[in-house]
Amino acid sequence: MEHNVCQSLEVNEHKDIFLGQVVYNKDEAYALYQEHAFKMGFSVRKGRELYYDIEKKNTRLKDYYCSKQGFKNNELVGEVAYERADSRTDCKAMVRFNVSKDGVWKITKLELNHNHDFVPQEQRHLLRSMRGVSNAKGGLINSMVNAGIKSSQRSESTNSVLGEIAGKTTSLTQFLVAFEKMVKKWRYLEVEKEFKNSQSAPPRIINISETLRHASLIYTHKIFKLFLNEYLEGTGGSTSMEIGGCNNVSYHEVIFNHMPNKKYQVTFDSSTMMINCSCHKFDSMGILCSHALRIYNIKGILKIPDQYFLKRWSKSARSMIYEHINRGSKEDSSSNVINSMTNGDDAGILYRNAIMKSFYNLVLETQEHKETQQIMWKLLNIGVEQVQQCIGKLNLNSNAETIENKFTQIEDNEWAAIFNPPLAKTKGMSTARKKGHFEKRKRSTTKTKQNKGHGLILF
């Protein structure tokens, strides 16, 4: 099966890798596998090398591995070991070249199956083996970095950020150029962090801790550091004592070693694994406090319950939105989940973000070959025509419904017309028009003035 898969790749017009393929030196062999790796979305690690003659370095066999091959060496060497992220997953993908004495490098073993996700197209320039970027790409990255904007400003106010690129003498053109560079750098740093979160696990310090291992697979690097500090303070920097309990609920008192006068009350329900602390850190920050982690540890609970891992702090927080929308578009629109995503002011924003991301990735994958470009143009033209036809039908239906509603309203008004009842004329009632309120008041005021005038004449 592996041979058949590789042979099908050989038929493709673009260059790929397959069993029996031949190159003529080490650089060509490495470049061949690296090109395949960039296309798929993984990084390359140089493997073992055997020689005909060790002194002359005449290569007989050479292996290249996926960079996630094997496991990280857990030997701690100084403080550097704590800072390095772990990206190994024991991936078995590799290629082997057997070299003849004539210098012909031939692929004799090829494993194409990986046990991890590939890097998206827009992040592949960050792969370790792809960092020998071209001059054009290097110039673009340097222009982003040299924009004069510090990364710490991302968390500052808007005025402070814009103050770094604009002054009293800054023209509008200069401001727009600097602002564009700043935004590009932000986007680059965002992609870089997303790549780091998806391709590696944060350093755990205590490698044998199942709690830290589980959290490192879910949390981003930044949030995991906060969680790690809480875990270390709870397990190694505090003491606890059970002060009561009822049924499955137990009550604990936790005290920090350096603050013995301050006590925290922790409630733990063993039936539901729910935990609550008087500091309310989870309510405010979304991560468990050191006091709660202390109780979990002494109770022997190695994995934190899922309800205490908020989605907004997870590595897949961004992709969850798009996956949710894509799932929703294929399901029945009458479901509550879909309605919650398609109703409201945010529905348009979510749709635009999802569709633009999908199209952007598709454009990147098809831009290098004329055949794929032609397919994209053909699909786009068909899609535009179908969308316009659908919009035309929807507009006709909408207009028809509007006209029908108007006629229905007119008919309803004709049949449901309500008039004032005829005025009943009783015996002795005058047929003259009744005077209004203001007419009566005006007449009364005039008589009062006349009476006052006659009174002055008499005196």
Side-chain angles (χ1 to χ4, degrees), residues 124-182:
R124 291 177 188 174
H125 64 283
L126 297 172
L127 291 167
R128 188 176 183 86
S129 62
M130 308 299 169
R131 292 180 185 175
V133 295
S134 63
N135 294 331
K137 291 182 179 179
L140 176 60
I141 296 173
N142 289 333
S143 65
M144 296 177 186
V145 177
N146 295 331
I149 309 302
K150 297 178 181 179
S151 59
S152 60
Q153 292 171 348
R154 298 178 67 182
S155 60
E156 296 175 359
S157 65
T158 304
N159 291 335
S160 298
V161 172
L162 297 180
E164 293 291 328
I165 62 175
K168 295 181 179 179
T169 59
T170 304
S171 65
L172 180 60
T173 304
Q174 292 173 338
F175 172 77
L176 291 176
V177 171
F179 182 75
E180 184 179 359
K181 289 182 179 180
M182 179 182 68

Side-chain angles (χ1 to χ4, degrees), residues 387-422:
V387 168
Q388 290 177 347
Q389 291 177 357
C390 183
I391 292 176
K393 291 180 181 179
L394 292 175
N395 290 336
L396 289 176
N397 295 335
S398 179
N399 294 334
E401 290 178 1
T402 303
I403 295 173
E404 184 179 354
N405 291 335
K406 288 183 178 179
F407 279 114
T408 304
Q409 186 177 5
I410 293 173
E411 291 176 359
D412 292 342
N413 291 337
E414 290 178 355
W415 285 100
I418 299 175
F419 301 97
N420 291 327

Side-chain angles (χ1 to χ4, degrees), residues 209-218 302-304 306 309:
S209 171
E210 180 62 24
T211 302
L212 293 180
R213 190 199 67 82
H214 182 223
S216 67
L217 298 176
I218 299 175
L302 301 180
K303 288 187 177 181
I304 305 300
D306 293 338
F309 290 107

